Amino acid sequence: MERTTTAAAVAALLAAAALGLAPHQAQAAPAPVAAVAADAPAASPELRFHDIPGSGGITLKGNVFTPAGAVSGRKYPLIVLPTSWGMPQIEYIAQARKLADSGYVVVSYTSRGFWLSGGQIEVAGPPDIADVSAVIDWALANSPADADHIGLGGVSYGAGISLLASAHDPRIKAVVAMSGWADLIESIYSGRTQHLQAAGMLGAAGYLTGRPGPELQSILGDFLGSRLDREQQMIEWGRKRSAAEQVDRINANGAAVMLGNAWGDTIFPPNQYAKFYERLTGPKRLEFRPGDHATAEGTGLLGLPNDTWTNAHRWFDRYLKGERNGVDTEAPVQIKSRSEGGYEGYADWKSVGSGGTERLALSDSEHVFANVDSGANGGIIFLSSILDQFVKAPPTASIPLLPRAFAAVWQSERHDTPRRVRGTVGLHTTVTPTKADGTFVAYLYDVGPLGIGKLVSNAPYTFHDRTPGRAFGVDLELFSTAYDVPAGHRLALVVDTVDPLYIEHNPTGAQLTFSSPRSDPSYVSVPLREQ
């Protein structure tokens, strides 16, 4: 009990520091919010820390902001913010205060299994979804929250939980899901390949800041251990935690959904969000910006100006308050190129590459030896895409110097005009393996006059139980992006078999041949923006 009380007090003091309050103003054991709101009007929103009953009898550590000068008997729209993976309840303090300043009751809580909240980490499982409804119930009973105007939002883990909860609780009218996932399998097992650094980082953070449940421990061990005999069980586990599997229920409930993500998100790549967005039928918005996981909205968590959070507030204002602020009349798909320029608006995701598709023929047959990193790779989780975001420095490789024994390389002619790549690049090829199992990674590079290639996109592909020596066709989607290739540059496709981002499945001595049969030519399709 003493440890819990001390930790709560420390959290209160941290929150007070973030808000610029004097230490005596932060309270770890406050009075009910409704009672506070009945007093004389306050100069700033009221913050109180609470133990909130979660589902199954556990306690969730949370905090509540109420609008300054909240009038007794009046109801205010409610926004619930579940925390990100490994983050405590003070994560959203800066944005929660801003929302309360504009007239919302805001409840944030530490997701179950992390820090001082009870329970075990369930990875957005049924107990997490039930927690959202329990927090809403508690807020309606203990604050001046309006039952008819409820919103849900969050970053990363909070985003995934928010989308899933909107499928189960029809009281939720608006959702803002930033840097989240809609399809967990496509996020960390795309191309049937384990995303090693992403899964490893999530696992390590879970053990450091929380209590992984036995199911998570088993799944994580099987996943990182490449237990193919458990593959179907892992996939089913992921599907139960994917909003894409419940999109019909989300559509039926009718919540207005805003999705935001970064082009270089190494945990939840953008493709799966774009596909999910297209299946939504209610009010919706999709935003993609440069950066990596949670970096697009990260400055907003510190209270600094931030486009993602600005639009999140506008979304809530439109669909919880009914304000005519124009967010619903703008082009619903808003993207920003990794290279330069401002935002581009599109009517839907399919229109992003409306300038047509340029097809680059891969006519030459290429043969590579596996198990060696050629030097072409997708970079390092977080670091590489952050460098791309802030200093326009994506991962690079010297294309002429790549060892051809370990890397297949095809290059286009120099382009006389810029190529504004927008959307999802596709690879179609024919592969002949010498072993039954294998992995390869495809990279698209922007190659300058000196042969230095800047990474445009990449994606892994793994196969199992193939007949050695027998060719088979592959269609692979690279991760969606927006990148401007300057005039005078080339595009290059590079394929190798080892990348630190992924677990590879190439047996010792494996070799792969990439060919282009006359009856089924190999190519790369590059979607372009209209000129």
Side-chain angles (χ1 to χ4, degrees):
M1 176 65 74
E2 183 177 349
R3 281 186 61 192
T4 302
T5 304
T6 302
V10 170
L13 290 172
L14 287 173
L19 293 166
L21 302 175
H24 70 271
Q25 289 177 288
Q27 300 180 25
V33 174
V36 174
D39 294 337
S44 61
E46 294 281 357
L47 167 65
R48 294 291 183 264
F49 289 86
H50 287 272
D51 287 349
I52 301 175
S55 65
I58 72 160
T59 297
L60 301 169
K61 295 296 181 178
N63 57 66
V64 180
F65 272 103
T66 51
V71 178
S72 178
R74 180 180 172 183
K75 298 295 184 181
Y76 299 86
L78 168 67
I79 295 176
V80 175
L81 303 171
T83 58
S84 302
W85 186 270
M87 295 296 289
Q89 57 172 301
I90 60 172
E91 175 185 9
Y92 301 112
I93 285 286
Q95 290 300 325
R97 182 179 185 179
K98 289 183 178 182
L99 287 165
D101 273 332
S102 61
Y104 292 97
V105 173
V106 186
V107 180
S108 178
Y109 67 93
T110 304
S111 299
R112 71 163 49 221
F114 289 103
W115 296 95
L116 298 180
S117 281
Q120 297 177 319
I121 302 172
E122 302 286 348
V123 194
D128 291 294
I129 309 312
D131 284 343
V132 172
S133 294
V135 170
I136 291 174
D137 292 341
W138 180 89
L140 295 176
N142 293 276
S143 77
D146 186 347
D148 295 324
H149 299 88
I150 298 173
L152 200 60
V155 176
S156 185
Y157 193 48
I161 289 174
S162 296
L163 287 175
L164 286 161
S166 70
H168 293 269
D169 196 326
R171 295 176 296 180
I172 299 167
K173 306 303 181 186
V175 174
V176 175
M178 297 170 277
S179 288
W181 79 91
D183 188 325
L184 194 56
I185 303 303
E186 278 298 305
S187 294
I188 61 173
Y189 195 50
S190 68
R192 207 179 175 187
T193 308
Q194 299 104 313
H195 293 210
L196 173 62
Q197 291 185 19
M201 188 283 296
L202 291 172
Y207 278 99
L208 285 171
T209 62
R211 300 168 299 283
E215 188 177 26
L216 172 57
Q217 294 181 46
S218 175
I219 288 290
L220 189 61
D222 292 341
F223 185 81
L224 294 176
S226 300
R227 286 282 305 276
L228 289 177
D229 61 312
R230 294 276 300 165
E231 183 181 35
Q232 194 55 45
Q233 289 90 332
M234 289 186 279
I235 289 174
E236 289 303 319
W237 180 87
R239 284 176 175 166
K240 292 176 183 177
R241 290 156 171 81
S242 297
E245 297 290 324
Q246 303 183 43
V247 68
D248 291 342
R249 297 182 65 169
I250 294 173
N251 289 334
N253 287 340
V257 178
M258 172 180 156
L259 305 170
N261 205 352
W263 295 119
D265 194 320
T266 44
I267 297 181
F268 305 129
N271 302 45
Q272 45 93 29
Y273 245 19
K275 293 175 183 176
F276 175 70
Y277 168 84
E278 288 290 89
R279 296 176 61 198
L280 293 171
T281 58
K284 58 184 180 179
R285 182 180 177 96
L286 176 67
E287 299 182 354
F288 285 141
R289 300 175 176 84
D292 204 316
H293 185 66
T295 64
E297 52 275 344
T299 55
L301 293 175
L302 301 176
L304 301 174
N306 181 277
D307 291 349
T308 309
W309 280 103
T310 295
N311 288 335
H313 288 233
R314 295 172 66 216
W315 193 256
F316 284 135
D317 289 346
R318 175 67 187 91
Y319 291 103
L320 297 184
K321 291 182 178 179
E323 292 184 3
R324 297 288 178 177
N325 55 20
V327 73
D328 58 329
T329 60
E330 298 169 355
V333 176
Q334 295 284 326
I335 70 171
K336 190 173 185 179
S337 169
R338 291 164 47 202
S339 306
E340 58 185 19
Y343 288 96
E344 304 166 7
Y346 298 88
D348 51 33
W349 175 248
K350 294 187 294 292
S351 300
V352 171
S354 57
T357 299
E358 184 171 19
R359 181 173 288 195
L360 307 178
L362 309 178
S363 55
D364 297 330
S365 179
E366 295 282 348
H367 181 85
V368 298
F369 293 88
N371 310 115
V372 175
D373 189 343
S374 70
N377 62 65
I380 300 172
I381 188 172
F382 294 134
L383 177 61
S384 297
S385 291
I386 290 174
L387 288 173
D388 184 34
Q389 177 183 2
F390 291 107
V391 297
K392 302 294 186 292
T396 61
S398 175
I399 304 304
L401 296 181
L402 290 175
R404 295 311 197 259
F406 309 113
V409 179
W410 297 265
Q411 292 193 78
S412 72
E413 298 297 324
R414 285 192 177 89
H415 299 296
D416 295 332
T417 58
R419 293 295 191 270
R420 294 181 171 86
V421 181
R422 298 290 186 274
T424 307
V425 173
L427 167 64
H428 176 75
T429 190
T430 296
V431 180
T432 305
T434 61
K435 304 288 184 178
D437 305 314
T439 297
F440 67 85
V441 184
Y443 311 88
L444 186 69
Y445 283 101
D446 158 26
V447 185
L450 299 179
I452 300 301
K454 294 183 178 181
L455 187 65
V456 177
S457 185
N458 78 99
Y461 184 90
T462 294
F463 58 89
H464 296 289
D465 301 322
R466 291 287 180 176
T467 302
R470 178 176 295 179
F472 61 93
V474 171
D475 286 289
L476 176 63
E477 289 187 344
L478 277 62
F479 301 135
S480 302
T481 194
Y483 183 97
D484 300 333
V485 181
H489 285 211
R490 307 172 187 263
L491 283 171
L493 180 79
V494 176
V495 177
D496 73 1
T497 61
V498 176
D499 190 307
L501 286 173
Y502 313 112
I503 291 178
E504 53 95 3
H505 295 262
N506 297 297
T508 301
Q511 302 173 41
L512 300 175
T513 299
F514 299 89
S515 59
S516 182
R518 288 187 179 181
S519 60
D520 187 18
S522 295
Y523 60 85
V524 173
S525 60
V526 182
L528 302 174
R529 173 189 170 186
E530 286 187 7
Q531 298 296 319

